Amino acid sequence: MLTDNKAVSSLRQAYGETLVELGEENKNIVVLDADLACSTQTIRFQKAYPERFFNMGIAEQDAVGTAAGLAYSGKTAFFSTFAVFASGRAWDQVRCSVAHPNLNVKIVATHGGVTVGEDGASHQALEDISLMRSLPNMKVIIPADSVETRAVIRYVARTKGPFYVRLTRPNMPEIFNAKDYDFKPEARVLVPGKDLTIATYGETVVEALKCAEMLKEKGISAEVINVPVIKPLDESTIIESVKKTGVIMTVENHSVIGGLGSAVCETLSEKLPLPVRRVGVRDEFGQSGEYSELMKKYGLVAEKFMDDALALVEIKKKQL
Amino acid sequence: MTEIKKLTNGEVEELTKLSNKLKEKCLAMIHNAKSGHPGGNLSALDLMLVLYKHIMNQCCEWDCSPEWDKRDRFVLSKGHASAALYCVLAECEYFGEDELMTFRKLGTRLQGHPGCNCAPGVEIPSGSLGQGLSMANGIALSLKLDKNPAKVFIMLGDGELQEGQVWEAAMSAAHYRLNNVIAIIDRNRLQIDGCTEDVKALEPLADKWRAFGWQVLEINGHDYGQIYGAYREAINISNEKTAPVVIIANTIKGKGVSFMEHNAGWHGKPTKQEEFIKAVEELRGKC
């Protein structure tokens, strides 16, 4: 399933290209954007099917409601803008007009997390997964690379109901092999291990894989799980892993409040109370900077969170 | 311009009787639930009644026929006027009259504010103000894509127009030339905290809609002849022009019950027993 092709590619471009393919296959697909069609890459769909593309201007609340009306009338409505606006600016519209009536609206939000970079705190969604995860009927998926993005977009297009899909801005190394990658709404063990579990999604999957390599050199065997679907959480895969390893670390480009770390804590505290360490942005806003600098600053690179992994293994040893 | 048909005297008389009967039902539902919004239901009821009885292409049995897609849609954006909508839907036999008294009770299909998968005939949920017009626009865009000639009627409260999303949606409807959207504003001039013009002024309201690219009609929202005429004219305009139409219906909050009329205090409180009896007596006296 994993690739060693070393290619780097854009998740947003993969999204735009997949939309165009889907638009050809399914005439019921419509796409809305809020003046960010170039950035989100919905412009590709606009060029291919202008009659089924609606630019709603800088009006995210209206855009979500309009998408809901289209979905109510039988369309599969994709809506894209930056994650911070899709989840925050239009939250009540997502709640009342989309999630409550369980409509077929697919919110594909780009520029999630600190990796937005130079635009700074106002544009860095660090709370979006928390906001979307708490809504009944809403399902939340974050792909890690362009291969997974294509598969996820196809999956949400064919699956009824509302989805929140978050894509990252920077190009990412390809992790999955396009030839045999088949998306299923579940968590997957990418690297098996026995000393600790590292659960992650999105941009930090590649860092977690790096961290596992570094830990291996220190004689520690880390199990890396990719958890693209934050909701509904694949609890059994996580529980199975933690039963084996005894401790788990979550890593995410999101606040430690309400994201994967919280979801894992909720599950384990009820079903398998064992030590958890949450790596993410610690209840603070982001700031301007190059995305790679920001990843380091907020502890989201392997070199930084390896210390957390080592600390967690120490905790386990003390408990034994 | 197509000549506009008028209601006969007999039809006006029948609507008057029916309106008073449904207003009583509305108040009984709210009284029974010990909660609800008498004022805004009574101001909006006549507008919904004429729409369902004389204007909209709709039928309670269409949901099991291929013709269902051709129905005109009604979106109630001011979701707190749910009791009036449910009364009108029951009158049109979308569901049995007995169900009305389950309003706001645990397990009911008649949710306090229209819910999803709710009462038959309710198109979309509402309650959080300001969201209906965007959804109506989405439905209208979809109808156009499908070359479906049905219209989308959407009722807004006047206080609701203070929500910014309404104006985003007003821009969208004009931009996308949604001439299949006909909005109705229940202009009762009152909101919870007092007069709309004191809380946050809406006037000049007609000018605002015109400036946003809409065709505007203004009527007395309790005069059946005017209501019917405005709906017919709106449909003619929508068939001939590319702009959406808004009907500003000047109404009376609490219409039909003397002590409720023009009184913001009756926005969201149920009647006490003696108040309910007095209200029923007044409404029956008008039948």
Side-chain angles (χ1 to χ4, degrees), chain B residues 62-70:
Chain B
W62 277 6
D63 56 348
C64 42
S65 118
E67 291 293 296
W68 178 244
D69 266 357
K70 304 232 165 59

Side-chain angles (χ1 to χ4, degrees), chain A residues 28 30 32 51-56 58-70 72-75 89 92-94 96-103, chain B residues 68 71 73 114-117 122-125 128-143 145-146 164-165 168-172 175-176:
Chain A
N28 257 336
V30 296
L32 300 91
E51 72 289 350
R52 283 187 276 148
F53 176 86
F54 305 104
N55 200 327
M56 302 311 295
I58 309 167
E60 295 78 12
Q61 302 176 358
D62 182 40
V64 168
T66 308
L70 281 155
Y72 173 77
S73 308
K75 307 293 179 216
R89 186 60 169 260
D92 188 47
Q93 285 71 18
V94 174
C96 298
S97 294
V98 174
H100 187 205
N102 202 16
L103 290 172
Chain B
W68 178 244
R71 76 195 186 279
R73 274 67 163 174
C116 47
N117 306 319
V122 172
E123 298 275 3
I124 60 154
S128 180
L129 292 173
Q131 302 196 20
L133 187 54
S134 300
M135 290 184 87
N137 288 345
I139 295 170
L141 282 170
S142 182
L143 291 172
L145 282 175
D146 297 340
Q165 187 188 349
E168 294 180 3
M171 266 195 268
S172 297
H175 181 81
Y176 284 104

Side-chain angles (χ1 to χ4, degrees), chain B residues 6-274:
Chain B
K6 287 187 175 146
L7 288 177
T8 65
N9 290 342
E11 284 169 330
V12 170
E13 201 176 313
E14 197 182 317
L15 280 168
T16 309
K17 277 189 190 158
L18 193 51
S19 166
N20 285 314
K21 190 182 110 185
L22 297 189
K23 278 174 184 150
E24 180 183 329
K25 262 189 207 165
C26 237
L27 290 180
M29 287 162 69
I30 294 166
H31 187 69
N32 184 55
K34 300 189 185 68
S35 76
H37 302 80
N41 274 282
L42 296 185
S43 64
L45 193 138
D46 287 330
L47 296 160
M48 287 190 233
L49 183 60
V50 177
L51 192 59
Y52 273 86
K53 280 287 181 188
H54 290 282
I55 301 293
M56 284 207 314
N57 191 13
Q58 54 88 33
C59 168
C60 62
E61 286 163 358
W62 277 6
D63 56 348
C64 42
S65 118
E67 291 293 296
W68 178 244
D69 266 357
K70 304 232 165 59
R71 76 195 186 279
D72 289 328
R73 274 67 163 174
F74 178 68
V75 172
L76 179 67
S77 192
K78 52 169 285 187
H80 54 286
S82 53
L85 176 61
Y86 298 148
C87 280
V88 172
L89 289 172
E91 178 62 31
C92 295
E93 299 179 355
Y94 278 87
F95 48 85
E97 213 177 286
D98 295 350
E99 196 169 341
L100 289 175
M101 285 305 146
T102 67
F103 179 56
R104 287 182 169 244
K105 302 282 188 191
L106 187 64
T108 184
R109 295 196 292 179
L110 310 187
Q111 293 287 302
H113 294 85
C116 47
N117 306 319
C118 161
V122 172
E123 298 275 3
I124 60 154
S126 56
S128 180
L129 292 173
Q131 302 196 20
L133 187 54
S134 300
M135 290 184 87
N137 288 345
I139 295 170
L141 282 170
S142 182
L143 291 172
K144 280 188 179 273
L145 282 175
D146 297 340
K147 303 201 173 4
N148 182 330
K151 308 276 184 217
V152 187
F153 293 90
I154 144 98
M155 177 179 276
L156 298 136
D158 54 357
E160 180 179 13
L161 304 180
Q162 289 157 355
E163 289 280 5
Q165 187 188 349
V166 174
W167 301 98
E168 294 180 3
M171 266 195 268
S172 297
H175 181 81
Y176 284 104
R177 299 166 181 253
L178 298 180
N179 55 347
N180 49 351
V181 171
I182 297 174
I184 306 131
I185 295 168
D186 178 12
R187 180 75 172 113
N188 62 34
R189 307 189 82 88
L190 291 175
Q191 57 190 111
I192 297 178
D193 281 348
C195 293
T196 56
E197 300 317 283
D198 294 336
V199 175
K200 193 156 87 173
L202 300 172
E203 295 297 341
L205 189 55
D207 289 345
K208 284 191 173 118
W209 285 93
R210 275 187 209 105
F212 273 74
W214 287 59
Q215 297 283 319
V216 182
L217 303 172
E218 271 193 274
I219 55 159
N220 172 343
H222 300 298
D223 178 315
Y224 300 113
Q226 286 192 32
I227 298 171
Y228 180 83
Y231 283 141
R232 285 281 165 225
E233 195 180 340
I235 289 167
N236 284 346
I237 294 171
S238 85
N239 289 337
E240 287 163 16
K241 300 202 173 179
T242 53
V245 188
V246 60
I247 300 168
I248 300 176
N250 292 298
T251 58
I252 295 170
K253 195 149 184 161
K255 171 71 177 173
V257 178
S258 60
F259 59 90
M260 289 182 179
E261 288 191 357
H262 302 292
N263 185 344
W266 284 101
H267 174 87
K269 72 167 178 181
T271 39
K272 294 194 183 90
Q273 187 62 19
E274 61 277 14

Side-chain angles (χ1 to χ4, degrees), chain A residues 6-252:
Chain A
K6 310 274 188 252
V8 170
S9 57
S10 160
L11 281 68
R12 291 178 286 142
Q13 186 179 331
Y15 166 51
E17 288 171 357
T18 308
L19 271 185
V20 172
E21 293 165 15
L22 287 167
E24 173 63 30
E25 295 161 23
N26 181 353
K27 301 293 174 202
N28 257 336
I29 287 180
V30 296
V31 177
L32 300 91
D33 203 297
D35 196 37
L36 288 168
C38 292
S39 299
T40 65
Q41 288 288 298
T42 59
I43 194 167
R44 291 171 187 271
F45 187 93
Q46 178 183 21
K47 282 183 179 154
Y49 315 105
E51 72 289 350
R52 283 187 276 148
F53 176 86
F54 305 104
N55 200 327
M56 302 311 295
I58 309 167
E60 295 78 12
Q61 302 176 358
D62 182 40
V64 168
T66 308
L70 281 155
Y72 173 77
S73 308
K75 307 293 179 216
T76 300
F78 280 82
F79 167 54
S80 287
T81 181
F82 288 179
V84 75
F85 307 130
S87 65
R89 186 60 169 260
W91 187 82
D92 188 47
Q93 285 71 18
V94 174
R95 177 179 184 271
C96 298
S97 294
V98 174
H100 187 205
N102 202 16
L103 290 172
N104 218 10
V105 174
K106 322 297 176 184
I107 301 166
V108 181
T110 67
H111 297 61
V114 293
T115 36
V116 170
E118 294 81 350
D119 275 347
S122 64
H123 282 55
Q124 291 163 348
L126 300 174
E127 317 81 5
D128 56 329
I129 292 162
S130 176
L131 285 167
M132 290 295 122
R133 193 169 73 87
S134 60
L135 292 171
N137 293 331
M138 183 60 77
K139 293 161 284 283
V140 179
I141 309 185
I142 303 102
D145 72 354
S146 64
V147 175
E148 194 168 43
T149 298
R150 287 176 204 276
V152 165
I153 296 304
R154 286 192 163 272
Y155 171 77
V156 301
R158 68 175 180 262
T159 311
K160 284 265 178 232
F163 281 86
Y164 180 79
V165 179
R166 184 217 244 196
L167 303 179
T168 189
R169 178 188 174 211
N171 294 346
M172 296 299 300
E174 286 175 22
I175 300 166
F176 301 107
N177 190 336
K179 282 188 190 127
D180 64 356
Y181 182 78
D182 173 31
F183 177 79
K184 291 201 182 86
E186 59 191 26
R188 276 191 201 169
V189 175
L190 301 183
V191 177
K194 57 181 178 33
D195 296 330
L196 86 157
T197 302
I198 305 176
T200 186
Y201 60 84
E203 303 97 315
T204 44
V205 172
V206 70
E207 294 296 327
L209 292 170
K210 220 186 277 173
C211 184
E213 286 293 320
M214 289 158 66
L215 287 166
K216 202 166 153 189
E217 285 166 19
K218 292 183 183 288
I220 295 167
S221 152
E223 176 148 300
V224 178
I225 308 183
N226 178 31
V227 191
V229 186
I230 309 297
K231 186 187 170 194
L233 188 68
D234 175 1
E235 295 188 333
S236 60
T237 301
I238 289 167
I239 287 170
E240 276 315 300
S241 175
V242 181
K243 267 186 190 163
K244 185 172 65 176
T245 63
V247 283
I248 181 167
M249 181 166 85
T250 59
V251 183
E252 58 193 322

